[in-house]
Amino acid sequence: MPDKSTSSEPASGAAAAETQQATSPARKIYPIVKYGDAILEKPGAPVKKFDAELEELAEDMFASMYAAQGVGLAAPQIGLSLRLAVVDVTGGKNPEAKIVLANPEVIHAEGEVREEEGCLSVPGFRGYVMRPQFVTVKAQNAKGESFEIRGENLLARAFCHEIDHLNGILFLQHLSMLKRDLIRRKIKKLRKQGEW
Ligand SMILES: [Zn+2]
């Protein structure tokens, strides 16, 4: 993290408050949990408490996701067994594309698309996964307000991928057994070499 406290002048209270307003608070960047950690294969607990802390957590998850250059991140991927995920298929280019999904569920799915997919928890590996072309998801935002959102193609894929995470499912489970075993063997080897 860059050190911002190098200014020789001590900031007055007012100046400090102004700085606080002008810039967003520094975000916590969480390390991403990798495949092999049991938390990734266990369903998350429902989000019950919607408070300032949860809003902070969601913002920190966006920051962590952007830092890792992902388009979606689920709480189990930062070591929290919670039904919370963030999605932004613009990668931070459009603030309005930021979607917080608390307790999400797919309520409608339509069509099928087979596309290559990856996961921040399985870095360096990709595989073709069949996903619905359109999905409608029902969820709550970080304030606890219920909403429905429809996604198409990449957005639909991201919703399904993240909701899978909240159910303890990784994209590897959607691959052919052959492909899945190949990836597992490679990861095992990487782990032996201390590179995973
Ligand atoms: Zn993932």
Side-chain angles (χ1 to χ4, degrees):
M1 188 179 281
D3 184 7
K4 288 177 185 166
S5 60
T6 46
S7 164
S8 54
E9 276 175 56
S12 74
E18 223 176 288
T19 310
Q20 281 275 309
Q21 277 175 358
T23 59
S24 56
R27 289 285 157 214
K28 181 174 164 69
I29 305 295
Y30 286 93
I32 312 282
V33 170
K34 279 189 190 169
Y35 173 73
D37 191 313
I39 200 163
L40 293 175
E41 296 183 67
K42 143 180 172 193
V47 178
K48 287 184 179 155
K49 214 167 142 200
F50 293 89
D51 55 9
E53 210 176 301
L54 188 78
E55 289 186 54
E56 288 293 311
L57 173 62
E59 285 305 320
D60 289 343
M61 283 175 66
F62 277 114
S64 305
M65 178 183 82
Y66 297 140
Q69 297 186 311
V71 295
L73 184 69
Q77 291 182 279
I78 56 162
L80 292 172
S81 195
L82 200 60
R83 302 189 75 80
L84 178 72
V86 296
V87 169
D88 177 357
V89 293
T90 74
K93 288 192 187 88
N94 177 6
E96 286 177 17
K98 289 167 72 181
I99 303 161
V100 175
L101 300 171
N103 304 320
E105 44 181 320
V106 172
I107 55 170
H108 182 76
E110 228 181 289
E112 282 184 329
V113 183
R114 193 169 173 270
E115 219 14 284
E116 216 179 23
E117 194 170 308
C119 177
L120 294 177
S121 294
V122 194
F125 297 96
R126 299 178 69 81
Y128 281 88
V129 178
M130 189 80 90
R131 297 284 189 189
Q133 187 182 2
F134 302 96
V135 291
T136 304
V137 170
K138 188 180 172 204
Q140 285 164 282
N141 63 19
K143 293 188 192 306
E145 299 157 345
S146 292
F147 66 97
E148 283 181 19
I149 185 166
R150 185 175 152 95
E152 185 181 350
N153 294 323
L154 179 60
L155 188 56
R157 180 168 297 273
F159 287 157
C160 293
H161 181 110
E162 299 315 321
I163 292 172
D164 266 1
H165 270 302
L166 307 185
N167 292 322
I169 297 167
L170 293 168
F171 84 101
L172 298 177
Q173 283 165 255
H174 295 292
L175 305 179
S176 68
M177 212 183 276
L178 197 74
K179 175 87 176 169
R180 186 166 61 218
D181 286 347
L182 182 74
I183 294 178
R184 280 193 182 141
R185 274 204 304 275
K186 284 185 179 168
I187 292 175
K188 214 171 160 183
K189 207 173 152 192
L190 285 172
R191 199 177 289 139
K192 265 190 195 155
Q193 297 165 341
E195 290 167 23
W196 189 265

